[in-house]
């Protein structure tokens, strides 16, 4: 029963994936059949080895921007090498069990670059939507729109009508039935209309020639050391984007099915798939959220459905490849416009304006850098900016306070603690003591009146500390002891104590001056003073 359900789901998803694989390949600057090769080869391998039960992998819209820029600069041979290198990086990430770390990619950053990618995809399809012939479309976003506006006088009315018919079909059909994919109906309808009325619009055949009806022979791309060095950055971009996209898709699938994927296994499978894909002239592959969700909705339950989807695409390619040359480019453009609309994160984008200023800043910066500069730069800057803003927020809930005699109240027991005797200063560390708050820690410690005989450092509210925090405490101990001030530490336990012990900081203070709580330290300080 499960196999039959997977079989039906695989057939449906295979049909859904057909126009998307072709469209994503063309938008990425490669031949239409290379999208099919990717969905067949990489899709099957990743399903066989992956860590998600229902993940559908293949070419996706998220890769269009990265792949297009690599092809423009290095050609397909460069893309093949970068994809293979990215596969190796993904396998290494999985073996090092870094899958869990990708969950720390901030949500505003994901919304920012996803929305930016959607806008770039939409922009790249405007010439085909309007039937404008552009000899070479520039890579820059503003330059693209400049070329489009300069070419508005050569709009092809037939292309506009085919685009409109395709878009109406894609958007309206789901209101009547969801059993038949709107993109496939638009593909067939657009092709039939162009053929019957002999409309003067570009087709796959007129632009790319015949579509092969089989898989290419495997060949390992050759590369020199210098070429590999130049492709490291693009390879990292493919690996990061592919990892994020595939694990996001797996998380969505888990939410829909109530399952739990194995992130590191999925990364290794994605890596192997991306190594094998360019050997068969494919492009980068990753988990496709929309196709994975479709797979679940139509009954997919095990990896069998994803493998069937690849086999179905292979059979379609073998049997119907000669007909693919008749597919009109405006219809494929309409399919990509719809894909851009779905991946635009428009609701999340708007909701970010109601979030914190930090979240909004991260999203806007990532979005603008994705659109105007480069996706790799956008992700790098977005992650750094997120880390800086997070540290700034943490610094507001971390630090050290100088305590006065009226503040010694144990809130848990509602008991007033002993007041410190003359010559005793007490400072309380709270929150994480990390490098971002070390300067504030030192500044507060300078508030001591003269040179106290005893300085008590209460660590009971310290959550954690890093090497910088440990170094600051070591400096405090050494400097104070050198000036004749005895240091007592109270409430030191758990991770902070383990860290200070590992770094040898506790070697500078005797165990007799470590106390379980502030009350005991105050009592001992009175004995020392007296």
């Amino acid at each position: 029963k499960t196999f039959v359900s997977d079989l039906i789901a695989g057939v449906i998803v295979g049909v859904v994936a057909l126009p998307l694989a072709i469209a994503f390949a063309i938008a990425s600057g490669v031949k239409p059949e290379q999208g099919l090769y990717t969905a067949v080869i990489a899709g099957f391998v990743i399903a066989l080895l992956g860590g998600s039960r229902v993940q559908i992998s293949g070419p996706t819209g998220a890769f269009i921007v990265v792949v297009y820029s690599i092809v423009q600069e290095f050609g397909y041979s460069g893309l093949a090498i970068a994809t293979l290198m990215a596969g190796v990086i993904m396998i290494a990430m999985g073996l090092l069990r870094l899958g869990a770390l990708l969950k720390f990619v901030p949500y505003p950053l994901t919304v920012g670059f996803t929305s930016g990618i959607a806008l770039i995809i939409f922009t790249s399809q405007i010439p085909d939507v309007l039937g404008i012939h552009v000899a070479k479309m520039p890579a820059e976003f503003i330059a693209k729109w400049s070329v489009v506006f300069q070419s508005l006088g050569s709009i092809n009315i037939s292309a506009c009508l085919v685009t409109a018919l395709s878009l109406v079909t894609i958007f309206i059909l789901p209101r009547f039935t969801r059993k038949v994919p709107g993109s496939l109906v638009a593909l067939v309808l657009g092709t039939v209309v162009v053929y019957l009325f002999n409309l003067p619009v570009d087709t796959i055949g007129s632009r790319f020639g015949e579509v092969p009806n089989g898989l290419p022979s495997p060949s390992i791309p050759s590369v020199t050391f210098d070429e590999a060095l130049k492709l490291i950055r693009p390879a990292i971009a493919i690996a990061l984007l592919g990892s994020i996209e595939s694990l996001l898709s797996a998380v969505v699938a888990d939410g829909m099915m109530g399952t739990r994927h194995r992130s590191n296994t999925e990364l290794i499978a994605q890596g192997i798939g991306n190594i094998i894909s360019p050997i068969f002239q494919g492009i980068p592959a990753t988990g496709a959220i929309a196709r994975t969700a479709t797979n679940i909705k139509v009954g997919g339950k095990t990896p069998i459905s994803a493998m069937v989807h690849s086999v179905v695409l292979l059979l379609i390619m073998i049997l119907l490849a000669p007909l693919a040359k008749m597919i009109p480019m405006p219809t494929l453009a309409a399919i990509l416009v719809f894909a851009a609309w779905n991946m635009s994160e428009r609701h999340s984008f708007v909701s970010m304006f109601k979030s914190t200023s930090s979240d909004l800043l991260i999203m806007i910066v990532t979005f603008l850098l994705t659109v105007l500069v480069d996706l790799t730069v956008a992700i790098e800057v977005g992650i750094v900016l997120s880390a800086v803003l997070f540290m700034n927020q943490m610094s507001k809930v971390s630090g050290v306070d100088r305590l006065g005699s009226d503040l010694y109240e144990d809130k848990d027991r509602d008991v007033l603690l002993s007041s410190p005797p003359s010559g005793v200063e007490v400072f309380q560390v709270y929150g994480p003591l990390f490098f971002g708050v070390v300067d504030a820690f030192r500044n507060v410690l300078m508030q001591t009146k003269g040179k106290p005989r005893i300085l008590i450092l209460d660590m009971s509210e310290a959550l954690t500390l890093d090497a910088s925090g440990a170094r600051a405490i070591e400096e405090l101990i050494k400097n104070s002891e050198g000036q004749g001030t005895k240091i007592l530490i109270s409430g030191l336990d758990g991770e902070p104590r383990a860290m200070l012990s590992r770094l040898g900081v506790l070697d500078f203070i005797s165990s007799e001056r470590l106390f379980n709580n502030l009350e005991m330290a105050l009592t001992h300080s009175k004995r020392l003073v007296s």
Side-chain angles (χ1 to χ4, degrees):
K1 182 179 178 181
T2 302
F3 176 77
V4 171
S5 179
D6 282 332
L7 186 65
I8 295 172
V11 172
I12 294 173
V13 177
V15 173
V16 171
L18 174 65
L20 294 175
I22 294 173
F24 289 147
I26 293 174
S28 300
V30 298
K31 297 178 181 178
E33 62 266 23
Q34 290 179 279
L36 294 172
Y37 298 158
T38 306
V40 171
I41 299 297
F44 188 91
V45 170
I46 294 170
L48 180 67
L49 304 175
S52 175
R53 293 176 61 82
V54 289
Q55 180 97 285
I56 302 292
S57 297
T60 67
F63 272 133
I64 288 177
V65 178
V66 175
V67 172
Y68 185 84
S69 63
I70 295 174
V71 171
Q72 293 299 305
E73 185 174 356
F74 301 101
Y76 175 73
S77 60
L79 173 65
I81 297 300
T83 305
L84 196 149
M85 292 168 63
V88 174
I89 294 172
M90 294 171 81
I91 291 176
M93 291 170 66
L95 292 175
L96 294 173
R97 308 188 70 80
L98 299 181
L101 294 181
L102 292 171
K103 67 184 178 183
F104 295 114
V105 175
Y107 180 64
L109 188 149
T110 304
V111 173
F113 77 69
T114 304
S115 299
I117 290 171
L119 180 57
I120 293 174
I121 293 173
F122 171 77
T123 301
S124 68
Q125 297 309 302
I126 295 299
D128 283 332
V129 165
L130 302 177
I132 296 172
H133 288 281
V134 179
K136 183 175 177 59
M137 180 65 83
E140 296 78 14
F141 177 79
I142 295 176
K144 283 180 180 178
W145 279 105
S146 177
V147 170
V148 168
F149 285 125
Q150 292 172 10
S151 307
L152 288 178
S154 60
I155 289 178
N156 184 333
I157 301 300
S158 296
C160 293
L161 291 175
V162 173
T163 300
L165 175 64
S166 302
L167 282 174
V168 168
T169 303
I170 293 171
F171 277 97
I172 297 299
L173 188 65
R175 297 185 180 183
F176 298 97
T177 177
R178 292 189 176 273
K179 294 183 179 180
V180 182
S183 57
L184 181 66
V185 174
L187 193 73
V188 174
L189 184 60
T191 303
V192 170
V193 168
V194 169
Y195 177 76
L196 290 179
F197 294 96
N198 194 26
L199 298 179
V201 300
D202 283 353
T203 63
I204 288 180
S206 66
R207 189 172 296 181
F208 300 99
E210 298 283 344
V211 176
N213 61 347
L215 295 175
S217 301
S219 61
I220 299 176
S222 59
V223 62
T224 64
F225 182 74
D226 290 339
E227 289 173 335
L229 288 179
K230 294 178 182 178
L231 290 167
I232 287 178
R233 197 159 176 265
I236 293 174
I238 293 173
L240 281 177
L241 189 59
S243 300
I244 294 170
E245 191 78 5
S246 62
L247 296 185
L248 278 177
S249 178
V251 169
V252 170
D254 288 345
M256 295 178 69
M257 292 192 68
T259 56
R260 189 171 184 179
H261 72 281
R262 294 168 293 162
S263 57
N264 295 307
T265 303
E266 182 66 20
L267 283 181
I268 294 172
Q270 293 284 343
I272 295 174
N274 279 285
I275 289 175
I276 297 177
S277 179
I279 293 176
F280 288 88
Q281 297 182 25
I283 60 177
T286 187
I289 296 176
R291 274 162 277 171
T292 299
T294 301
N295 183 35
I296 296 170
K297 290 176 182 177
V298 296
K301 293 181 175 63
T302 76
I304 295 294
S305 61
M307 288 186 273
V308 169
H309 133 273
S310 295
V311 173
V312 168
L313 281 173
L314 177 61
L315 292 176
I316 292 175
M317 188 166 57
I318 292 173
L319 300 175
L320 303 178
L323 299 178
K325 67 179 181 180
M326 301 168 61
I327 297 174
M329 297 305 297
T331 295
L332 289 177
I335 292 172
L336 284 170
V337 167
F338 180 68
W341 173 259
N342 281 337
M343 72 179 296
S344 63
E345 297 277 5
R346 53 195 181 279
H347 300 301
S348 300
F349 193 93
V350 173
S351 68
M352 281 295 122
F353 285 87
K354 302 175 184 177
S355 185
T356 64
S357 57
S358 297
D359 288 341
L360 180 60
L361 179 63
I362 293 168
M363 184 193 72
I364 294 296
V365 169
T366 307
F367 173 79
L368 291 176
L369 288 175
T370 300
V371 173
L372 300 177
V373 183
D374 179 73
L375 177 61
T376 309
V377 173
I379 294 177
E380 292 170 349
V381 172
I383 290 176
V384 172
L385 180 61
S386 301
V388 171
L389 291 175
F390 175 75
M391 287 186 292
N392 180 59
Q393 291 175 336
M394 291 303 296
S395 67
K396 295 176 181 177
V397 295
S398 308
V400 58
D401 280 340
R402 178 175 176 272
L403 302 182
S405 59
D406 57 337
L407 297 178
Y408 293 104
E409 185 176 349
D410 188 330
K411 295 180 180 179
D412 293 332
R413 294 181 298 160
D414 195 24
V415 175
L416 192 66
L417 298 180
S418 303
S419 297
S422 177
V424 177
E425 291 277 357
V426 182
F427 292 85
Q428 184 180 60
V429 178
Y430 58 92
L433 182 58
F434 68 110
F435 64 90
V437 296
V438 163
D439 280 342
F441 175 81
R442 293 191 178 105
N443 291 337
V444 173
L445 290 174
M446 292 173 65
Q447 297 176 10
T448 55
K449 298 177 181 179
K451 296 179 181 178
R453 295 179 59 185
I454 298 172
L455 191 152
I456 300 176
L457 189 65
D458 181 37
M459 300 285 291
S460 58
E461 300 295 325
L463 301 178
T464 183
L465 77 161
D466 64 0
S468 298
R471 172 65 176 170
I473 293 176
E474 180 182 339
E475 289 176 356
L476 172 66
I477 295 172
K478 289 181 177 179
N479 294 340
S480 298
E481 297 287 339
Q483 296 174 359
T485 299
K486 292 185 181 298
I487 295 291
L488 307 182
I489 299 180
S490 65
L492 182 63
D493 200 7
E495 197 275 337
R497 182 171 191 138
M499 178 62 118
L500 292 176
S501 177
R502 284 198 302 271
L503 296 180
V505 177
L506 294 185
D507 296 342
F508 297 100
I509 186 169
S510 64
S511 58
E512 290 80 10
R513 286 194 259 162
L514 298 177
F515 302 91
N516 292 335
N517 54 57
L518 182 55
E519 179 71 42
M520 295 174 66
L522 286 168
T523 302
H524 186 72
S525 70
K526 289 181 179 180
R527 286 200 298 267
L528 291 176
V529 170
S530 62

